[in-house]
Amino acid sequence: MALRRGGPAGRGRLLLLLLLGAASLVRPGAQVRRLARCPATCSCTKESIICVGSSWVPRTVPGDISSLSLVNGTFLEIKDRMFSHLPSLQLLLLNSNSFTVIRDDAFAGLFHLEYLFIEGNKIETISRNAFRGLRDLTHLDLRGNKFECDCKAKWLYLWLKMTNSTVSDVLCIGPPEYQEKKLNDVPSFDYECTTTGIQNLYRWDPDLSSGNFFFKYPFPDFVVHQTLPYQSVSVDTFNSKNDVYVAIAQPSMENCMVLEWDHIEMNFRSYDNITGQSIVGCKAILIDDQVFVVVAQLFGGSHIYKYDESWTKFVKFQDIEVSRISKPNDIELFQIEDETFFIIADSSKAGLSTVYKWNSKGFYSYQSLHEWFRDTDAEFVDIDGKSHLILSSRSQVPIILQWNKSSKKFVPHSDIPNMEDVLAVKSFRMQNALYLSLTRFIGDSRVMRWNSKQFVEIQALPSRGAMTLQPFSFKDNHYLALGSDYTFSQIYQWDKEKQLFKKFKEIYVQAPRCFTAVSTDRRDFFFASSFKGKTKIFEHIVVDLSL
């Protein structure tokens, strides 16, 4: 992306102000003096360095430097981790230098950096992951730079929309329709940057009898199909009488919204609305020809609703006792020996994650699993033909409970070691093998595989700020959707040859809380709930590039 520099007088005044600002961050009483290890082209105090005309970033510095200013430097690029040897930096000023490129992870390792000033340089390219890792950044100054606001700037456009940092106005130098406009004011890049224009994707085929050739192949992609104008935290899908429905929990609107697929309009439309208080989960249960929805609430107790044909809506069927469930976090439905159960994971300190069972008249509490563990998720999984529950928790590693056929209860069986602070566990199968995805907000999330004795790690995925890591499959394509509060959501695709998930696509969803796959009318979708923005419905398309 191209930038244009401001006038020399303006740059000089700004430079003087910024240098004074940098100096003002020095602790009162610090004396400006040249220390033994201060670089020759720099001036140093106990906590700050100002370098003018340097061709490098100083490597040997005195003490724990909190402020670094590089002015009129002659280095040509900001390389990855270029400042990682200065982890205590809180302010970094890069003004009027000669560099043209800022690489991915340029500021990696600067976990405490709060102020970043980049003005009056000769920047031509800023890589899309240049600012990755700046978790404490509160102010970014790009003043005086002008960008080509085309597809190459889309990543910055989306980053500006989602960052919590204060960022100076970013102005467009082109294309003509956006000239002198702020990048934030550009309506959208969705049309200009669609992937449907891809024409020349080829795959090497080593098995063709006439020789090895490249050939065009069907290319999968995800595109926004529909945007729902409300926030949500969970999405569940169910089929009834040849129709497809979706139940969406909306805590801010105090609703459990039920949508129906419209076979004519080819979109999801409103069907019914269950009201409540701070609804955090809606789970559909189908028993014979009856449809129930478990509605989990943070306040006022949780309830079960049943679809009433005469009223053509859901009506309250049963209460769930408040004494057992005080802070529901997840609902999991399962069957054992043709009997229907569901479990509510309770994340309160004194909560009781409880299993409920259908007895032909209603659901009753069947087994309370344990106290004081603040369970965040429950996952039912069949391991070698035996029924198990895996509970993740804020206070311990995930535990595995096994169904005892004699007592007809779940009993402790084992755990998943060295995996503290797991928010959610999801199971899935590929090529007859059993896998788990484990979501972690702090640290790397994990993908694990069952080896007939235990679950073993096969892949770690960087996931700081992640609240969900959801597996789903469409036809022969297997995916993981990793949603984060701090960065773009990533979709990973399974690589059969490498037996690993590889990055496939980035999508923008504000504070995603779940991803749910839905298929209907030979079309495949996934819902992306958003705690802070609009709920989005993506369609999985396969573009046949051989046509």
Side-chain angles (χ1 to χ4, degrees):
M1 54 187 70
L3 296 89
R4 190 165 63 201
R5 301 169 62 187
R11 288 200 308 273
R13 287 193 298 270
L14 278 173
L15 178 58
L16 177 60
L17 289 173
L18 289 173
L19 289 175
L20 290 173
S24 70
L25 290 183
V26 178
R27 186 180 303 162
Q31 298 181 3
V32 178
R33 57 188 180 90
R34 182 175 299 278
L35 301 178
R37 300 177 64 188
C38 186
T41 59
C42 306
S43 298
C44 303
T45 70
K46 188 175 181 180
E47 296 180 351
S48 69
I49 298 179
I50 299 175
C51 302
V52 179
S54 292
S55 59
W56 68 89
V57 175
R59 302 294 302 180
T60 304
V61 297
D64 293 327
I65 296 302
S66 62
S67 171
L68 172 64
S69 300
L70 300 177
V71 181
N72 295 328
T74 59
F75 46 92
L76 299 180
E77 64 178 1
I78 303 296
K79 300 178 181 179
D80 64 296
R81 304 186 65 83
M82 196 163 176
F83 306 94
S84 61
H85 61 292
L86 302 169
S88 59
L89 278 186
Q90 299 176 34
L91 181 147
L92 177 60
L93 184 147
L94 305 169
N95 283 8
S96 302
N97 297 287
S98 299
F99 59 85
T100 60
V101 178
I102 302 179
R103 301 291 184 189
D104 283 338
D105 300 310
F107 308 102
L110 301 183
F111 302 116
H112 304 293
L113 191 70
E114 298 179 26
Y115 300 89
L116 177 58
F117 300 89
I118 306 174
E119 294 190 42
N121 300 288
K122 299 179 180 180
I123 301 172
E124 297 175 358
T125 302
I126 301 180
S127 299
R128 64 188 306 155
N129 294 314
F131 304 127
R132 183 163 56 191
L134 295 178
R135 64 189 186 194
D136 285 350
L137 190 67
T138 61
H139 188 97
L140 172 63
D141 196 342
L142 296 170
R143 204 184 317 274
N145 298 316
K146 294 187 178 182
F147 292 73
E148 282 289 342
C149 297
D150 54 14
C151 284
K152 292 181 180 179
K154 182 179 180 180
W155 73 269
L156 182 57
Y157 168 82
L158 295 175
W159 187 84
L160 291 173
K161 294 286 186 182
M162 66 185 298
T163 184
N164 292 323
S165 304
T166 299
V167 184
S168 61
D169 291 337
V170 178
L171 297 179
C172 301
I173 193 174
E177 61 267 29
Y178 298 143
Q179 193 168 5
E180 298 303 324
K181 287 187 177 181
K182 299 175 184 177
L183 181 59
N184 263 333
D185 294 338
V186 173
S188 172
F189 287 90
D190 289 342
Y191 176 76
E192 295 88 346
C193 303
T194 54
T195 59
T196 53
I198 298 174
Q199 299 294 330
N200 294 304
L201 290 178
Y202 294 84
R203 177 180 291 158
W204 178 255
D205 187 343
D207 300 321
L208 295 179
S209 58
S210 58
N212 296 333
F213 297 95
F214 287 98
F215 68 98
K216 289 184 178 180
Y217 69 100
F219 178 74
D221 197 6
F222 293 93
V223 296
V224 176
H225 171 76
Q226 190 176 347
T227 300
L228 306 178
Y230 45 73
Q231 302 167 357
S232 61
V233 294
S234 78
V235 179
D236 186 42
T237 181
F238 61 97
N239 295 354
S240 179
K241 298 181 179 179
N242 299 318
D243 283 316
V244 175
Y245 300 87
V246 175
I248 303 177
Q250 306 166 285
S252 61
M253 299 177 65
E254 301 192 330
N255 290 333
C256 176
M257 178 71 72
V258 180
L259 306 182
E260 177 187 33
W261 172 252
D262 189 321
H263 299 275
I264 298 176
E265 297 294 331
M266 292 295 178
N267 60 19
F268 292 89
R269 65 182 182 186
S270 178
Y271 181 78
D272 195 9
N273 185 29
I274 302 172
T275 59
Q277 299 181 53
S278 297
I279 296 175
V280 294
C282 305
K283 188 71 175 181
I285 302 176
L286 278 66
I287 301 176
D288 299 327
D289 59 347
Q290 304 175 90
V291 181
F292 302 91
V293 173
V294 181
V295 177
Q297 302 185 152
L298 292 180
F299 306 104
S302 297
H303 312 283
I304 300 174
Y305 290 77
K306 178 183 177 182
Y307 186 75
D308 190 315
E309 293 281 357
S310 61
W311 289 88
T312 64
K313 64 180 297 182
F314 285 91
V315 297
K316 186 181 288 187
F317 173 75
Q318 178 184 339
D319 293 331
I320 297 176
E321 55 267 51
V322 180
S323 61
R324 293 183 179 273
I325 302 297
S326 57
K327 192 177 180 182
N329 209 71
D330 182 51
I331 310 170
E332 176 77 356
L333 173 69
F334 57 94
Q335 287 191 322
I336 299 177
E337 299 173 354
D338 296 325
E339 294 188 297
T340 301
F341 301 82
F342 70 86
I343 177 175
I344 298 181
D346 193 299
S347 60
S348 64
K349 291 183 178 179
L352 285 168
S353 292
T354 303
V355 177
Y356 295 83
K357 181 182 177 182
W358 172 254
N359 68 354
S360 77
K361 295 182 180 180
F363 297 89
Y364 67 98
S365 58
Y366 183 77
Q367 181 183 1
S368 293
L369 298 178
H370 56 205
E371 297 180 89
W372 310 110
F373 286 114
R374 300 177 63 195
D375 296 328
T376 54
D377 185 79
E379 179 75 359
F380 179 80
V381 58
D382 183 297
I383 304 177
D384 295 336
K386 297 179 181 179
S387 299
H388 296 78
L389 279 176
I390 303 178
L391 299 180
S392 59
S393 170
R394 287 281 195 179
S395 59
Q396 63 175 1
V397 297
I399 63 169
I400 302 176
L401 306 174
Q402 182 174 298
W403 180 258
N404 186 295
K405 291 186 176 181
S406 299
S407 64
K408 294 189 179 297
K409 301 282 186 178
F410 285 100
V411 296
H413 180 262
S414 59
D415 61 24
I416 301 177
N418 304 317
M419 282 299 296
E420 291 78 9
D421 201 28
V422 172
L423 291 179
V425 179
K426 303 299 176 187
S427 63
F428 59 104
R429 293 184 181 272
M430 297 186 299
Q431 302 171 335
N432 298 320
L434 173 62
Y435 296 82
L436 296 179
S437 65
L438 295 90
T439 309
R440 301 178 76 192
F441 187 83
I442 300 174
D444 292 345
S445 293
R446 299 289 198 274
V447 180
M448 310 188 82
R449 180 169 52 214
W450 178 251
N451 69 355
S452 77
K453 293 183 180 179
Q454 62 182 351
F455 287 102
V456 295
E457 180 181 328
I458 65 166
Q459 189 172 1
L461 301 175
S463 61
R464 183 180 178 274
M467 298 294 289
T468 179
L469 178 61
Q470 179 65 48
F472 62 97
S473 299
F474 294 130
K475 301 178 177 65
D476 294 328
N477 296 296
H478 304 286
Y479 301 99
L480 282 177
L482 177 64
S484 172
D485 281 7
Y486 299 146
T487 184
F488 295 99
S489 293
Q490 299 281 351
I491 298 179
Y492 293 82
Q493 185 180 30
W494 180 250
D495 188 319
K496 294 181 181 179
E497 295 180 358
K498 295 183 179 180
Q499 293 289 291
L500 292 172
F501 284 96
K502 61 180 182 180
K503 284 187 178 181
F504 177 73
K505 187 180 180 69
E506 288 183 339
I507 59 173
Y508 174 59
V509 181
Q510 282 186 286
R513 289 298 178 266
C514 82
F515 299 98
T516 302
V518 180
S519 295
T520 179
D521 285 347
R522 298 183 179 180
R523 299 173 68 177
D524 299 316
F525 305 91
F526 79 85
F527 282 65
S529 70
S530 171
F531 184 60
K532 294 183 179 179
K534 297 177 180 179
T535 301
K536 292 185 179 180
I537 306 173
F538 293 85
E539 182 172 8
H540 179 259
I541 62 173
V542 178
V543 181
D544 190 350
L545 298 175
S546 64
L547 298 179

